[in-house]
Amino acid sequence: MRHLLSPLDFSVEELDTLLNLASDIEANPEKYAHACEGKKLATLFYEPSTRTRLSHEAAMLNLGGSVMGFASEDSSSASKGESVADTIRVISCYADICAMRHPKEGAPMVACMHSSIPVINAGDGGHQHPTQTLTDLMTIRSLKGRLDHMTIGLCGDLKFGRTVHSLIHALVRYPGIRFVLISPEELRLPDYIRHDVLDMNDIPYKEVVRLEDALPELDILYMTRVQKERFFNEEDYVRMKDFYILDKEKMAMAPEEMYVLHPLPRVNEIAVEVDDDPRAAYFRQVQYGVYVRMALILTLLDIHVD
Ligand code: CP
């Protein structure tokens, strides 16, 4: 039985296979419409979500399966003190696969240790968000035709942004990847990723504070919101929250082929006026998220469609 806790749980070859499957699903959705008939997905969300929970559910429904779950800790017996270990033992009796989001880093790992069904990490604290990474990889590959030889700008909350952490882990395995890390001093990428992932793999990167200084050299700009829920005090959040605002004026400094991605939700970091720019790819990214999660569910359930 396989789980997905980190993007590194799949080799580059396995990722290629999964992304190819997602592209085939995009091209031939009817072929997969009954692939998961009789199967059930449980979504166990201890933290708020719109995209990740509903895209997993849409993915399972598109495959002909069924869904169940809870959308907050308050509406589950976790509010009465039930542990993740006990909850997953129970869910294993009800469902064939589950997706779990939890505010504590490592909670999906604990779930795996007690689960008899595949567990998908749907985001654990400030740690990892591997299904967002699969979405991001499919988006980049679809837009640019490749995942190698690119300069990727990561902008915003690089300290707490788990989507950024997962994406870096995944992309360093492709040749010719270079990063520009764009953040205020207080929200720099944590040392354990800068040193242990970038430096250890000899990945070229530079750190800048001003978005304007990075824009002209980027193939992809990955914007992120400041993660309000991970700040210890409101004052620091308010000081940081509008540090970056990508608007039309800044987009004019970017190359014609530079696509803008964002895991969403957006707060103020991308002005609404940018949405009409053909390089704004964040809503297309949402659609890719459904195809890639369909491919993931099929892969983890070991279901093959001829
Ligand atoms: N991208 C993402 O994780 O969005 P949600 O928090 O809405 O799931």
Side-chain angles (χ1 to χ4, degrees):
M1 187 175 56
R2 288 193 78 164
H3 307 282
L4 178 67
L5 294 178
S6 143
L8 300 183
D9 291 349
F10 288 119
S11 67
V12 170
E13 293 72 26
E14 286 173 325
L15 270 181
D16 254 8
T17 304
L18 190 135
L19 296 179
N20 289 342
L21 176 58
S23 297
D24 193 53
I25 291 169
E26 179 187 8
N28 306 291
E30 69 292 341
K31 196 169 119 187
Y32 297 89
H34 304 284
C36 281
E37 258 170 19
K39 300 288 184 192
K40 294 189 275 298
L41 165 79
T43 49
L44 317 178
F45 276 61
Y46 296 81
E47 219 186 35
S49 165
T50 296
R51 274 145 298 273
T52 312
R53 185 170 66 84
L54 296 180
S55 63
H56 276 94
E57 295 189 358
M60 189 47 134
L61 293 171
N62 290 347
L63 293 166
S66 313
V67 297
M68 64 177 83
F70 53 83
S72 72
E73 181 167 332
D74 291 349
S75 61
S76 80
S77 284
S79 61
K80 302 172 200 162
E82 186 171 51
S83 67
V84 164
D86 283 1
T87 300
I88 197 68
R89 280 196 185 103
V90 170
I91 298 300
S92 295
C93 301
Y94 303 153
D96 300 285
I97 185 167
C98 77
M100 173 183 282
R101 170 170 288 187
H102 203 287
K104 286 202 181 125
E105 287 86 355
M109 164 75 94
V110 172
C112 285
M113 291 157 60
H114 300 276
S115 179
S116 53
I117 59 173
V119 175
I120 298 169
N121 177 3
D124 60 330
H127 186 217
Q128 297 270 5
H129 193 344
T131 67
Q132 181 64 48
T133 300
L134 299 181
T135 302
D136 301 338
L137 295 180
M138 182 174 183
T139 308
I140 295 171
R141 199 178 82 151
S142 300
L143 295 172
K144 303 294 282 186
R146 64 184 196 279
L147 286 170
D148 51 22
H149 296 96
M150 262 185 284
T151 298
I152 313 270
L154 303 166
C155 177
D157 186 348
L158 308 189
K159 180 178 181 184
F160 296 116
R162 59 192 172 199
T163 61
V164 166
H165 303 167
S166 283
L167 187 57
I168 289 174
H169 275 96
L171 281 173
V172 297
R173 299 189 293 176
Y174 296 89
I177 291 293
R178 178 175 169 266
F179 293 103
V180 183
L181 307 173
I182 310 153
S183 76
E185 182 65 29
E186 291 94 328
L187 298 177
R188 285 174 70 202
L189 193 71
D191 284 349
Y192 75 90
I193 299 177
R194 207 172 43 249
H195 296 151
D196 300 356
V197 182
L198 298 179
D199 292 340
M200 294 295 276
N201 288 291
D202 283 330
I203 305 296
Y205 70 90
K206 68 178 181 184
E207 295 185 280
V208 300
V209 173
R210 281 165 36 93
L211 179 55
E212 295 87 327
D213 294 340
L215 280 168
E217 59 181 311
L218 301 182
D219 296 298
I220 295 288
L221 171 61
Y222 193 91
M223 294 293 295
T224 62
R225 80 184 161 93
V226 175
Q227 304 268 306
K228 182 180 185 185
E229 63 275 29
R230 318 249 178 254
F231 273 74
F232 292 113
N233 69 70
E234 176 83 11
E235 199 182 304
D236 283 348
Y237 169 69
V238 169
R239 196 162 45 79
M240 293 286 130
K241 74 182 172 72
D242 291 332
F243 202 93
Y244 297 108
I245 299 181
L246 181 67
D247 55 17
K248 268 189 174 170
E249 199 182 324
K250 292 199 183 70
M251 285 299 283
M253 301 175 201
E256 279 301 305
E257 299 295 316
M258 185 208 77
Y259 289 100
V260 182
L261 274 63
H262 191 309
L264 304 179
R266 152 176 66 183
V267 187
N268 287 329
E269 59 280 355
I270 302 179
V272 173
E273 65 185 17
V274 175
D275 295 358
D276 294 331
D277 190 306
R279 296 168 292 179
Y282 28 94
F283 291 113
R284 278 174 275 173
Q285 197 178 349
V286 172
Q287 182 62 63
Y288 288 127
V290 178
Y291 302 133
V292 90
R293 287 177 177 110
M294 289 170 74
L296 177 65
I297 289 170
L298 290 174
T299 303
L300 294 183
L301 289 178
D302 201 22
I303 292 174
H304 302 270
V305 177
D306 290 331

